[in-house]
Structure formats: structure tokens, C-alpha cells
Amino acid sequence: MESYDFISIGEVLIQLNNVTPGPLRYSRYFEVHIAGAEFNVLSALSKLGFRTGLITRVGKDEFGEMILRALRAENIDTSCIKAVDDAPTGIYFIQRHYPIPGKSTVFYYRHGSAASYMDEEDVQEDYVRRARRVFLTGITPALSESCYRAVKKLSELSRELGKEVFFDTNIRLKLWRNVENVRDRLLPLIHGSKIVFTNKEDLKILFPQNLLEESISKLFQSGIDIVVVKSGEEGSSLYTRDGEFYREYAYPTPVIEDVIGAGDAFDAVFIASFLKQIPLKDALKLASLAGMLVVTTRGDVEAQPDWKTLEALKKYYEEKMDLLR
Ligand code: KDG
């Protein structure tokens, strides 16, 4: 019997979120949050009742301690996390509603951070054996050569040990030192995943010669069962290897505080619904609702829903849509 439903590998950062909208050069007040795509997804899965664990490094500093406390509070296992003296915990800033209203921009201060020194040693076979499934993203392999090797080891071990992999391409061009590497490094890691989450921009990078539908068939050829293409406020589309297709529109929200983190809640709710055997179309709807909820607050994990919240949200929007008909 495995101890964890999901494990992942990735950097957890201190997020300094601008309290006032506008360019950071005028900011005086920042709100502290804790975030990072893999942490966000595990945190959302944990709220939905899954047992989770994260592989990472933090600095042996106050912010590292803050992150460890946050992970424990979210019920994420920390037994594979190293706190190290020789590098600091990474941080990043968020600028909101500028230059494009409704959008956010991130500024990283994470080069040389503790997590960027992760390597193969951080990925212990016994930990992977104790996990049922693995969630990976395209962010960690971009952090450094040694992080890339660590993700590669986790991906290979998952395959050897028969663990299902769920992958979000999450290509952050600001992080890739060598953009030429993106395709060659990510495609083998994505290969054979159960579900891949992506977006049109990432698909263009991964398959520069191909149209959207062709890129998706290439993903199916590499053993993937389901591809979900997220398009923010334009909604999302789902393709299965067996030829099913669904589209879901994004739910309108009057309050957009900060859009960062919405995609992670979307991934987690979709995966959780899929594993609960909720029909794919409804799973896509629940995932969109979760993404919508996260944009109503600053911080990536605070508004992530549990099942009860999701049900209440779904009911509210169904009634609202009925009234509009
Ligand atoms: O998905 C949200 C993340 O992108 C954000 O919290 C920070 O992990 C992060 C990253 O590397 O961009």
C-alpha cells in the first residue's frame, strides 16, 4: 500500500504580491504568500483529500522555515525536503493589472536559490516507490542542469516502477537559459504521461512546425491519454486519444485580484475529478470553476476549493445560467 497518492518535485517560493495594482517601481506594500506550481497543485489535491509529498530544497533561513510550516499546514509531506545553509530560499514578486488590466507579471529572484541546487540525490527510489502517482511540470527542469537531472531521474523511475505521471508543460521562458533546450528536454519527460495540461503557446514551442490539432496527435502518438489545452479567459479544451473532444468556457468573475495560480488549481481539480470517475466534460467544468475561484484572491493557494466548495460553486453557476436562459 502506497503512503502518498501524489508526489512532485519543484521549488516553493516566497511570493511578494503587490498590494496596489500598477508598476512595481511605485510599490511600497507587498503581501507575503507561499507558492510554486508543484506546491500549488499538491496543496489543491490535499484539500481534495489526497495524500501528497514534495521533493525540494529550501534555505536554512526564516523563509525556508515559513515554507516548511506552510507545507505542513497544507498537509503535504516534508520528509524529503532538505534545508540547506549554502543557498537562500527563492523569492519572486508579482505585479498586478499592469501594463494589461486583469493580467499579472512575475519577477523572479531565484537564480542560485536552494532549490536550484537539487540533483539526483534528492530523488530517492524508496520515496517514489511509496507514491501512487507523480505530478511534474516544465518549470523544475528549467531551474538548472542539476534540477533537470533530478526531474529526469524521477520521470524514469516513475516509468520503471509503473507510476502514472501527470504533466503540466508550464514553459516559463524567463527561466530557460537556453531556449533551444526546451523541446529536447521536455518532450522525453512528457512522453507516456496519463494527462498533459498545456496551452497554445507551449504547444507552439514544443511543435513549432505543427498546427494545434497536429501537435495534439503527436502527443497521443507518444502515449498520452488526455490532453487539456488551457486558454485562460477563453476557456479550455479537452482531447482524448479515443477521439472525444469537449470545450468549456471560462466562468466570468467580477473580481480579478491575481490570475497567477489559477492553472494549478485547474490541474488539481481536473485530476481529482478524473480519478473520481466524474465524466470528463463535468471534470472540465469543475476545473474551470476552481481556476475562476483562485483569481479572486491574491496568493495561489488560499482560495483553492475542497469538494463542498466546488459543489456550492457549481450549484450557484448552474442556477445563474438557468436564470439567464
Ligand atoms: O503557476 C503559478 C506559478 O507559476 C507561480 O506560483 C510561480 O512556480 C512558479 C513559477 O515558477 O513560475
Side-chain angles (χ1 to χ4, degrees):
M1 168 74 177
E2 293 95 349
S3 317
Y4 310 109
D5 298 308
F6 286 92
I7 60 163
S8 188
I9 180 167
E11 180 162 26
V12 192
L13 301 131
I14 297 298
Q15 177 192 96
L16 293 162
N17 202 312
N18 192 9
V19 171
T20 47
L24 289 194
R25 69 191 70 178
Y26 290 109
S27 303
R28 296 297 177 265
Y29 301 103
F30 290 99
E31 199 173 78
V32 179
H33 295 270
I34 289 154
E38 298 82 4
F39 160 71
N40 296 346
V41 169
L42 294 186
S43 160
L45 285 168
S46 182
K47 291 180 179 95
L48 296 165
F50 292 90
R51 298 159 307 159
T52 60
L54 182 69
I55 301 171
T56 193
R57 289 191 195 183
V58 293
K60 211 178 251 178
D61 48 32
E62 287 299 319
F63 287 146
E65 186 55 43
M66 187 187 277
I67 286 174
L68 290 173
R69 285 167 182 240
L71 283 154
R72 284 185 213 115
E74 298 293 349
N75 239 338
I76 301 172
D77 177 69
T78 57
S79 61
C80 258
I81 301 184
K82 289 183 196 154
V84 296
D85 297 301
D86 50 359
T89 301
I91 65 172
Y92 74 116
F93 291 80
I94 294 189
Q95 171 173 287
R96 301 182 302 117
H97 295 287
Y98 186 88
I100 303 175
K103 303 276 182 205
S104 299
T105 314
V106 298
F107 298 94
Y108 297 124
Y109 292 78
R110 67 197 293 188
H111 185 57
S113 68
S116 73
Y117 288 103
M118 276 191 289
D119 62 24
E120 298 93 318
E121 298 289 302
D122 294 76
V123 179
Q124 291 168 21
E125 182 171 333
D126 181 52
Y127 200 62
V128 185
R129 279 189 189 280
R130 284 163 55 209
R132 223 163 148 192
R133 309 177 188 91
V134 176
F135 176 80
L136 298 176
T137 84
I139 297 175
T140 316
L143 298 180
S144 65
E145 278 302 307
S146 64
C147 280
Y148 164 66
R149 294 198 308 272
V151 179
K152 186 163 174 278
K153 177 172 173 191
L154 179 53
S155 158
E156 287 168 0
L157 268 178
S158 310
R159 213 158 300 164
E160 271 167 49
L161 300 172
K163 312 289 177 186
E164 275 179 350
V165 175
F166 297 79
F167 204 103
D168 191 321
T169 54
N170 265 340
I171 299 176
R172 305 276 189 264
L173 286 177
K174 278 186 182 171
L175 294 176
W176 285 91
R177 303 215 145 235
N178 182 355
V179 177
E180 304 295 304
N181 274 344
V182 181
R183 194 171 180 278
D184 294 346
R185 296 219 154 163
L186 290 191
L187 286 178
L189 297 175
I190 295 170
H191 184 95
S193 302
K194 184 87 192 148
I195 302 180
V196 170
F197 299 93
T198 187
N199 59 48
K200 289 181 189 152
E201 296 74 27
D202 287 7
L203 286 173
K204 235 357 267 138
I205 296 169
L206 293 172
F207 304 103
Q209 317 293 346
N210 297 109
L211 299 171
L212 180 76
E213 313 284 330
E214 293 166 344
S215 313
I216 289 164
S217 3
K218 293 221 163 193
L219 287 174
F220 291 141
Q221 282 158 27
S222 77
I224 288 144
D225 286 345
I226 296 177
V227 179
V228 181
V229 181
K230 299 182 279 184
S231 309
E233 72 250 47
E234 284 155 37
S236 51
S237 310
L238 179 149
Y239 305 75
T240 72
R241 188 138 50 119
D242 306 332
E244 284 176 84
F245 171 78
Y246 302 105
R247 182 156 173 63
E248 178 67 30
Y249 293 94
Y251 289 85
T253 165
V255 198
I256 300 182
E257 277 289 335
D258 170 25
V259 292
I260 309 283
D264 304 324
F266 180 108
D267 292 4
V269 168
F270 183 82
I271 295 170
S273 308
F274 168 80
L275 294 174
K276 249 187 135 186
Q277 295 181 342
I278 291 175
L280 293 177
K281 186 163 175 38
D282 296 334
L284 203 57
K285 192 178 292 251
L286 291 175
S288 299
L289 283 167
M292 183 273 282
L293 200 54
V294 166
V295 311
T296 61
T297 60
R298 295 195 285 269
D300 297 10
V301 300
E302 289 79 350
Q304 291 173 337
D306 55 16
W307 289 113
K308 206 166 142 229
T309 309
L310 272 177
E311 266 315 308
L313 251 187
K314 183 166 162 263
K315 186 164 173 282
Y316 172 79
Y317 273 93
E318 277 169 359
E319 285 171 4
K320 200 171 150 132
M321 296 300 176
D322 273 351
L323 287 177
L324 291 176
R325 264 186 215 126

